[in-house]
């Protein structure tokens, strides 16, 4: 990777790594404290993540493991479909379409671009969470006798739920009209979006402290270390058929 120059000192690398992880944990803490549903504030059925501008996962926290697995594919799919130029400061993209890599219909993903002071896109922050009420044939979704996906809830393709920090009321109203508990949906979506705002603030603090170049290099080295470790573990597996 051209961004990786001389090896970064381990102290800086560790600080950046811990900052990214702590930011994701703080996103989750905000979700727990502000959400309306016990699925968020007790079950912790969500995941928070940070991606670089190429859409590669560089930060995550220890919440729902399945959503840590799906959120990477969802973000890759959204960026490929929408394009990097589609994002502007304050825009939040929403989807719960399983065919765009979301786990299942009740799991909503929100994605926001993070911009520097010059208006350049530098990172993405995302949150995937299980909504209490997706508008399915039965309350809460997950009907045992469902025969098609349309019985599992309201399916949202990638839609802008906020533009320039302002709500898109038509999208919100469509969601509320299809959910049995719109107040809970409203509170939980606000908690999800609020977690993105916290991550955006923290990443700008990190850039102000170290500079974008140092954070980019640290992120790339963390990805390289992860690859080396994974390859080493795979090599330990005996050859077989």
């Amino acid at each position: 990777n051209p961004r990786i120059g001389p090896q970064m000192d381990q102290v800086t690398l560790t600080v950046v790594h811990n900052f990214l992880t702590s930011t994701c944990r703080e996103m989750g803490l905000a979700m727990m404290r502000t959400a309306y549903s016990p699925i968020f504030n007790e079950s912790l059925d969500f995941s928070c993540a940070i991606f670089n501008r190429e859409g590669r996962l560089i930060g995550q926290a220890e919440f729902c493991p399945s959503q840590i697995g799906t959120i990477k594919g969802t973000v890759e799919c959204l960026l490929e479909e929408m394009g990097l130029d589609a994002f502007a400061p304050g825009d939040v993209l929403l989807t719960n379409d399983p065919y765009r890599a979301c786990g299942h219909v009740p799991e909503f993903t929100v994605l926001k671009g993070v911009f520097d002071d010059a208006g350049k896109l530098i990172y993405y922050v995302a949150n995937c969470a299980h909504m209490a009420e997706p508008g399915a044939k039965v309350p809460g979704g997950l009907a045992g006798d469902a025969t098609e996906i349309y019985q599992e809830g309201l399916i949202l393709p990638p839609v802008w739920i906020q533009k320039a920090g302002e709500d898109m009321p038509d999208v919100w109203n469509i969601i509320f009209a299809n959910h049995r508990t719109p107040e809970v949906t409203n509170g939980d979506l606000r908690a999800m979006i609020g977690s993105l705002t916290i991550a955006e603030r923290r990443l700008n603090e990190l850039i102000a402290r170290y500079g974008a170049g140092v954070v980019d290099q640290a992120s790339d080295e963390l990805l390289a270390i992860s690859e080396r470790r994974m390859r080493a573990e795979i090599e330990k597996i005996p050859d077989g058929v």
Side-chain angles (χ1 to χ4, degrees), residues 66-179:
S66 67
Q67 290 160 347
I68 292 176
T70 60
I71 196 169
K72 179 178 181 294
T74 305
V75 170
E76 289 175 350
C77 183
L78 292 176
L79 295 181
E80 181 179 358
E81 182 171 347
M82 304 299 292
L84 302 183
D85 295 334
F87 289 81
D91 294 353
V92 178
L93 194 62
L94 168 73
T95 188
N96 71 326
D97 185 356
Y99 292 101
R100 288 178 169 88
C102 295
H104 59 163
V105 174
E107 291 184 349
F108 283 44
T109 296
V110 286
L111 177 65
K112 184 178 188 179
V114 178
F115 294 78
D116 63 15
D117 293 337
K120 179 183 176 182
L121 179 65
I122 51 176
Y123 299 107
Y124 294 95
V125 290
N127 187 312
C128 178
H130 187 121
M131 300 293 289
E133 171 51 42
K137 65 175 291 188
V138 296
L142 307 179
D145 61 346
T147 57
E148 57 182 359
I149 192 172
Y150 303 105
Q151 298 170 342
E152 296 181 9
L154 175 68
I155 301 171
L156 295 160
V159 291
W160 299 107
I161 194 166
Q162 286 190 347
K163 292 288 287 184
E166 299 294 330
D167 287 350
M168 302 297 285
D170 290 347
V171 175
W172 288 88
N173 289 336
I174 289 171
I175 296 172
F176 295 155
N178 283 274
H179 286 195

